[in-house]
Amino acid sequence: MASRHVALFPLPFQGHLSPMLQLADVLHGRGLAITILHTTFNAPDTAAHPEFAFVAVADGGMPDAKDGLGKILAMNDAMEASGCVRDALAALEPRPACLVSDSTLPAAQKAAAELGMPTVLLHTGSAAAVRLFRSYAMLHDKGYLPAQEHELDRPVRELPPIRVSDLFDPSKYPNRETANKVLDMTTDITNNSSGIVINTLDALETPELEAIRDELGASGVGVFAIGPLHKLSTIGGASSSLLEADRSCIEWLDAQAAGSVLYVSFGSVAPVRREDLDEVAWGLANSGRPFLWVVRRGLVVGSGSEDTELPEGFERVAEGRGKVVRWAPQQEVLAHRAVGGFWTHSGWNSTLEGICEGVPMLCRPFFGDQLANGRYVEEVWRTGALLVGKLERSMVEEAIARFMEGEDGAAMRERAKELQMKAMEALGNAGSTQLAVDKLVDHILSL
Ligand code: UDX
């Protein structure tokens, strides 16, 4: 008889951990028993999820690696060398039907394969990002990469609406070899899986999902678009958050006029240069509009986990109109009636959360998939605008005015509400997401 037990292994970063816990919750809701493997680095709050079993595995030097991609490689190398994932999986009773792994953990997939256990992957980014990261050979062959300065605006004809400036270019990354290895790794792991789960929905990315299904379906890899996971699951932001949210901002929002507040957050890992942070601060302060800004510890490049200092005099100018917190209950904030816009770094979770609350987005992507996400918001869904060019307080001020009060902003707001409806439809009975969950559960039980 098919095993009704599933093991899941998230990458230990906020933007990956939350959707994996949400997926675990969805599978649990369909009657599957759940074991979460996790590292001690950024371990989830196990007490918040008594319905799951948890098994810690060694994180082998991961915390010491210099940057995000370096940490991913260090984690994979350590897991492969120690055999700790294989041992943890082999000890699980009853034997899981499969391992659901983050798409950046090929070492976990190899460990499962050694035990003859299939893998299903969770891609925590968009379908467009899955396609993009599988296209690197083509992008090099056709000369889009390495990117040339004079070609940044060139459209990538094979992947509309992507432009050269939206591509993650390994040659610009400080450690090119690391970047190339991570890209290769994500392609191989997808090809070797029995199925992939993408945290997106059909109505958002129809052509992208079709292309992925055509490509992977031919080799028997199932594709399941079961997003937005944060709405499908009962796990709220607080129980999957690695940081404690400052809830005083909800009280502050309660006192603001409907649709008046710009919520500003650059996610959990994007680094901001000191000089840019100062321009953002003054742009917000001088905008004359209410704002709620997440200034997390370590936000400034090279500041480790230190508190982030704001420019002198900022508080005085912004007093009464601006609220700054170290970490916000983001999903609740976006759903608040006072929030009229979201200035985001365009991480995929934030993008989906903005879409689901019908909030228009001002996008300032930093790296990786964020660049493509911002492009889609501006050109495909047209529910927001990209903020491009050197950050200067006057341009920030003008962009905020156009976005929060101009005609363009109003049109984006309207389209954002329409897109929100589509997302809600996918979640309803017989919606595309619900049907995809049925198929995913059947797939797992057939393994
Ligand atoms: C990382 C990568 O940078 C991104 O490109 C990829 O798509 C996902 O992983 P991250 O910075 O974690 O992104 O951003 P995002 O995907 O948007 O996830 C951030 C999460 O933190 C969201 O779920 C958001 O709700 C939450 N958050 C953020 C809070 O709960 N409070 C905050 O104050 C800020």
Side-chain angles (χ1 to χ4, degrees):
M1 204 178 86
S3 169
R4 299 190 69 86
H5 180 199
V6 175
L8 298 96
F9 197 170
L11 183 75
F13 292 113
Q14 188 67 70
H16 293 249
L17 178 64
S18 299
M20 188 64 93
L21 290 173
Q22 290 152 3
L23 175 59
D25 179 58
V26 169
L27 296 177
H28 185 257
R30 298 292 183 107
L32 298 176
I34 300 295
T35 298
I36 310 275
L37 305 190
H38 65 89
T39 53
T40 42
F41 171 77
N42 276 351
D45 178 3
T46 56
H49 306 284
E51 70 283 21
F52 304 152
F54 287 90
V55 176
V57 297
D59 50 32
M62 186 189 181
D64 303 330
K66 265 203 231 91
D67 57 23
L69 295 185
K71 281 189 193 332
I72 293 174
L73 279 191
M75 181 172 168
N76 276 289
D77 288 347
M79 289 190 313
E80 211 165 333
S82 73
C84 61
V85 179
R86 183 197 54 229
D87 297 345
L89 286 174
L92 294 180
E93 287 285 347
R95 179 187 157 93
C98 67
L99 170 69
V100 180
S101 164
D102 187 274
S103 61
T104 58
L105 297 177
Q109 186 182 59
K110 278 187 202 152
E114 281 177 41
L115 302 170
M117 193 183 289
T119 329
V120 170
L121 295 185
L122 172 60
H123 281 271
T124 56
S126 65
V130 172
R131 245 189 117 194
L132 188 56
F133 290 132
R134 291 178 64 75
S135 302
Y136 270 74
M138 178 278 285
L139 293 169
H140 279 98
D141 284 352
K142 302 226 162 166
Y144 294 111
L145 289 177
Q148 308 294 321
E149 209 51 43
H150 65 278
E151 287 203 336
L152 292 178
D153 264 343
R154 179 181 167 196
V156 177
R157 266 191 315 109
E158 296 76 1
L159 300 169
I162 298 298
R163 298 190 195 171
V164 170
S165 57
D166 305 329
L167 302 174
F168 169 68
D169 184 355
S171 73
K172 305 277 185 309
Y173 189 76
N175 188 341
R176 185 190 306 197
E177 205 186 319
T178 303
N180 277 324
K181 266 194 198 162
V182 173
L183 280 174
D184 287 347
M185 207 163 94
T186 53
T187 303
D188 293 345
I189 189 173
T190 299
N191 295 343
N192 295 332
S193 66
S194 88
I196 66 168
V197 174
I198 311 179
N199 188 12
T200 188
L201 51 138
D202 276 295
L204 268 192
E205 299 193 276
T206 312
E208 290 75 12
L209 282 164
E210 251 170 41
I212 295 170
R213 287 191 178 112
D214 282 351
E215 192 192 327
L216 290 177
S219 43
V221 180
V223 179
F224 308 95
I226 68 164
L229 277 165
H230 72 286
K231 286 289 187 191
L232 188 61
S233 142
T234 58
I235 291 189
S239 67
S240 65
S241 184
L242 291 165
L243 298 171
E244 196 174 335
D246 179 345
R247 298 195 51 81
S248 68
C249 59
I250 300 291
E251 224 168 90
W252 180 84
L253 284 173
D254 288 344
Q256 308 301 319
S260 66
V261 176
L262 176 68
Y263 170 59
V264 186
S265 164
F266 303 133
S268 69
V269 283
V272 181
R273 291 185 313 176
R274 178 75 246 177
E275 58 270 33
D276 288 345
L277 186 93
D278 290 352
E279 297 306 307
V280 173
W282 286 120
L284 287 171
N286 298 340
S287 74
R289 288 166 179 81
F291 63 88
L292 168 61
W293 185 16
V294 178
V295 180
R296 59 165 212 275
R297 285 201 168 107
L299 178 62
V300 170
V301 179
S303 67
S305 55
E306 276 170 32
D307 251 339
T308 307
E309 276 189 35
L310 292 170
E312 201 167 329
F314 165 81
E315 265 177 41
R316 195 172 21 81
V317 179
E319 203 180 340
R321 224 173 5 84
K323 170 96 179 154
V324 175
V325 292
R326 282 199 192 122
W327 194 248
Q330 180 163 302
Q331 292 170 32
E332 224 176 304
V333 166
L334 288 169
H336 198 287
R337 55 152 195 87
V339 172
F342 180 16
W343 179 356
T344 171
H345 69 309
S346 301
W348 184 241
N349 293 286
S350 294
T351 304
L352 276 180
E353 289 161 14
I355 288 173
C356 287
E357 302 309 334
V359 181
M361 289 177 261
L362 191 57
C363 302
R364 179 81 183 181
F366 286 72
F367 58 77
D369 64 328
Q370 299 164 9
L371 303 157
N373 298 340
R375 179 70 59 200
Y376 270 69
V377 168
E378 180 171 277
E379 288 193 22
V380 178
W381 308 311
R382 299 170 58 230
T383 56
L386 276 163
L387 184 59
V388 285
K390 189 171 169 349
L391 277 178
E392 274 167 8
R393 58 197 73 182
S394 56
M395 75 82 115
V396 168
E397 218 182 299
E398 280 162 28
I400 294 175
R402 269 199 316 275
F403 179 63
M404 293 299 282
E405 281 175 16
E407 267 176 41
D408 290 356
M412 288 172 202
R413 195 151 291 121
E414 219 166 275
R415 287 190 289 267
K417 293 288 174 210
E418 288 163 15
L419 196 60
Q420 177 188 29
M421 297 301 291
K422 285 191 184 171
M424 293 310 118
E425 276 167 28
L427 290 165
N429 280 344
S432 65
T433 291
Q434 296 291 356
L435 298 177
V437 177
D438 294 344
K439 285 190 189 149
L440 173 66
V441 173
D442 289 348
H443 176 81
I444 290 174
L445 295 178
S446 74
L447 292 171

